[in-house]
Tab-separated table of all heavy atoms in Angstrom:
chain	number	residue	atom	x	y	z
A	46	LEU	N	-10.616	-12.619	-13.997
A	46	LEU	CA	-10.784	-11.339	-13.286
A	46	LEU	C	-9.366	-10.731	-13.028
A	46	LEU	O	-8.504	-11.537	-12.705
A	46	LEU	CB	-11.503	-11.488	-12.055
A	46	LEU	CG	-11.939	-10.215	-11.313
A	46	LEU	CD1	-13.349	-9.880	-11.683
A	46	LEU	CD2	-11.819	-10.406	-9.814
A	61	HIS	N	-8.948	5.357	-1.979
A	61	HIS	CA	-8.347	4.204	-2.576
A	61	HIS	C	-9.386	3.491	-3.491
A	61	HIS	O	-10.449	3.099	-2.980
A	61	HIS	CB	-7.952	3.190	-1.507
A	61	HIS	CG	-6.824	2.316	-1.884
A	61	HIS	ND1	-5.551	2.699	-2.152
A	61	HIS	CD2	-6.887	0.952	-2.328
A	61	HIS	CE1	-4.811	1.677	-2.485
A	61	HIS	NE2	-5.520	0.595	-2.698
A	64	LEU	N	-9.954	-1.599	-8.347
A	64	LEU	CA	-10.419	-1.763	-9.768
A	64	LEU	C	-10.438	-3.273	-10.221
A	64	LEU	O	-9.395	-3.857	-10.260
A	64	LEU	CB	-9.537	-0.909	-10.649
A	64	LEU	CG	-9.517	0.570	-10.252
A	64	LEU	CD1	-8.093	1.086	-10.512
A	64	LEU	CD2	-10.458	1.412	-11.041
A	87	ILE	N	-20.045	0.724	-10.600
A	87	ILE	CA	-20.027	-0.207	-11.741
A	87	ILE	C	-19.896	0.622	-12.935
A	87	ILE	O	-20.734	1.548	-13.188
A	87	ILE	CB	-21.363	-1.048	-11.725
A	87	ILE	CG1	-21.405	-1.887	-10.483
A	87	ILE	CG2	-21.478	-1.846	-12.990
A	87	ILE	CD1	-22.687	-2.735	-10.293
A	160	GLY	N	-12.442	12.040	-23.311
A	160	GLY	CA	-13.483	11.858	-22.471
A	160	GLY	C	-13.240	11.331	-21.098
A	160	GLY	O	-14.021	11.211	-20.222
A	182	GLN	N	-17.793	11.725	5.279
A	182	GLN	CA	-17.769	10.533	6.081
A	182	GLN	C	-17.215	9.355	5.303
A	182	GLN	O	-16.914	9.446	4.168
A	182	GLN	CB	-19.174	10.186	6.614
A	182	GLN	CG	-19.697	11.282	7.503
A	182	GLN	CD	-18.811	11.597	8.715
A	182	GLN	OE1	-18.431	10.701	9.420
A	182	GLN	NE2	-18.463	12.840	8.859
A	201	LYS	N	2.693	1.347	-12.479
A	201	LYS	CA	3.614	1.842	-13.512
A	201	LYS	C	4.768	0.949	-13.764
A	201	LYS	O	5.237	0.737	-14.940
A	201	LYS	CB	4.132	3.226	-13.168
A	201	LYS	CG	3.166	4.271	-13.265
A	201	LYS	CD	3.686	5.613	-12.913
A	201	LYS	CE	2.614	6.649	-12.857
A	201	LYS	NZ	2.874	7.722	-11.925
Side-chain angles (χ1 to χ4, degrees):
L46 191 96
H61 203 76
L64 303 140
I87 295 174
Q182 297 304 306
K201 282 181 191 153

